Amino acid sequence: MTTNLTKPISKSLLLAIIIVTIGAEVLLYLTRYSSMASTLYDAVMVASFFIGWKLYRRLRSQQNYRKSPRQIMLQFTGAFLIFFLGSTVVNVYSNLTFEDFNKDYDQYVQDYTESQALEVKGGADKEIMDQPIGSLFEKVDTIGYDLYNDILAGLEEVWRLSYMILLLVVFKKVFPRRWESGRRDGFLIAALFITSILFGIDHTLDTEQPWAIRIGAIVTFANMGFLFGLILLWTRNLWLTVIVHAVYDITATLSWYYIDYAVEYFTFGVLIVHVCLFILEKIHQNRSMQKLATVQD
């Protein structure tokens, strides 16, 4: 995989990778002070879709066979269940270890919900908002903005892949002998670990917080990032990982603001679908084996 990821990169693609990684982090930090930086950060995240389209093939192995839609869906449900279980463990650990961070995060969720409602109401005429259609669009605006942010969060997996490629290129230049010896898995794990730490740090760049809260945020989100990175390397499918990330964030948003236990309900549904797909896949494999045995006889 490391050979594919470090295939020759054009100057324009390298510049795009640097903008998506380092440039996005600088803009994220500047959102503390500038609404324009926030807009530019969103623009970079949207543009990362097209960069991901250039990079996603590098994850594929030449030996990989083409998966059927059922197998892809089975892989998605499995990846989502793995992340849900892993994130549950991370959240339990965080609750027990970083009390200050969890209190601050709960307060953030409450404040954000209230601010969103006030912002929507404040931007419209009261007479309009009192009408049924005005109330409808208030809800659409609030939910739509949250879902938009969650989709952009899914595209952070393009950021991760871009960073991993950038780090592997650096490792290849700095440690040429070890690279040529074929012992490259260590570099891949190091890139995954570094991007996970950066993922955690990035969740503290746009706000100023005490270190007791910041450390909790870094550790919690770094572990979440590590789970997404493992899913990326396991599935070798960038877009599947993007969807897992976005869908989890969407269900978490619904759970926080709109529907209690939305994550748990959705995960239960995913589990049922996963079991059904697994049974169907086993039946298909058994039939294929029987046909092959019949032909050989």
Side-chain angles (χ1 to χ4, degrees):
M1 183 186 296
T2 52
T3 302
N4 284 346
L5 290 176
T6 55
K7 288 190 296 187
I9 301 174
S10 65
K11 291 182 179 179
S12 58
L13 182 57
L14 179 60
L15 177 61
I17 288 175
I18 292 173
I19 292 173
V20 166
T21 52
I22 300 173
E25 292 197 58
V26 172
L27 288 172
L28 186 59
Y29 174 77
L30 292 177
T31 57
R32 291 185 185 185
Y33 314 104
S34 169
S35 59
M36 182 178 178
S38 178
T39 302
L40 290 174
Y41 175 80
D42 288 352
V44 169
M45 287 293 100
V46 172
S48 69
F49 171 83
F50 302 99
I51 298 167
W53 197 259
K54 291 283 188 179
L55 299 179
Y56 84 101
R57 293 186 181 89
R58 292 172 179 255
L59 284 168
R60 294 184 176 181
S61 171
Q62 295 179 352
Q63 289 77 28
N64 277 4
Y65 62 93
R66 186 176 182 84
K67 291 182 173 63
S68 67
R70 180 176 59 248
Q71 290 172 327
I72 295 174
M73 189 63 184
L74 184 62
Q75 199 171 45
F76 165 78
T77 55
F80 188 90
L81 291 172
I82 289 171
F83 183 78
F84 173 78
L85 291 174
S87 63
T88 300
V89 172
V90 170
N91 285 328
V92 170
Y93 170 77
S94 176
N95 285 329
L96 295 174
T97 310
F98 305 107
E99 185 177 350
D100 290 340
F101 162 67
N102 283 280
K103 287 181 179 178
D104 180 79
Y105 196 73
D106 290 341
Q107 186 63 45
Y108 161 78
V109 171
Q110 182 179 346
D111 292 345
Y112 179 79
T113 307
E114 293 174 355
S115 67
Q116 285 295 95
L118 290 173
E119 183 177 342
V120 173
K121 290 180 180 178
D125 186 86
K126 185 178 185 302
E127 292 182 1
I128 295 176
M129 296 308 301
D130 287 340
Q131 299 174 9
I133 190 170
S135 178
L136 171 64
F137 275 100
E138 174 190 357
K139 295 177 181 178
V140 170
D141 285 347
T142 304
I143 297 174
Y145 184 78
D146 290 332
L147 297 184
Y148 165 76
N149 282 332
D150 292 335
I151 292 171
L152 288 188
L155 289 172
E156 289 170 359
E157 297 311 310
V158 178
W159 169 92
R160 182 186 314 284
L161 178 58
S162 298
Y163 236 132
M164 291 180 72
I165 290 174
L166 191 62
L167 289 169
L168 287 172
V169 169
V170 172
F171 291 150
K172 185 177 181 180
K173 295 293 184 182
V174 176
F175 306 104
R177 292 184 180 179
R178 185 175 178 83
W179 186 275
E180 294 300 329
S181 68
R183 295 176 293 176
R184 301 171 187 170
D185 289 344
F187 292 128
L188 188 60
I189 297 302
L192 173 59
F193 181 77
I194 292 171
T195 56
S196 299
I197 297 296
L198 290 172
F199 185 77
I201 293 173
D202 286 353
H203 281 78
T204 69
L205 288 179
D206 57 343
T207 58
E208 295 183 9
Q209 300 166 317
W211 274 106
I213 294 174
R214 190 173 298 182
I215 292 298
I218 291 173
V219 172
T220 301
F221 288 110
N223 282 314
M224 296 285 193
F226 188 75
L227 289 172
F228 282 127
L230 289 178
I231 290 172
L232 180 68
L233 296 182
W234 168 53
T235 62
R236 294 194 176 190
N237 189 325
L238 172 63
W239 302 122
L240 185 146
T241 310
V242 167
I243 294 172
V244 170
H245 190 155
V247 169
Y248 181 83
D249 281 14
I250 288 171
T251 56
T253 296
L254 294 175
S255 181
W256 292 336
Y257 306 152
Y258 309 108
I259 305 171
D260 291 338
Y261 305 108
V263 177
E264 288 76 9
Y265 291 147
F266 183 80
T267 303
F268 182 70
V270 169
L271 177 60
I272 294 174
V273 172
H274 182 77
V275 171
C276 293
L277 289 173
F278 182 79
I279 293 172
L280 289 173
E281 184 63 22
K282 285 298 181 182
I283 293 173
H284 175 75
Q285 290 178 0
N286 290 336
R287 287 178 179 175
S288 298
M289 293 294 293
Q290 290 173 1
K291 288 181 180 180
L292 181 62
T294 301
V295 170
Q296 289 178 346
D297 291 342

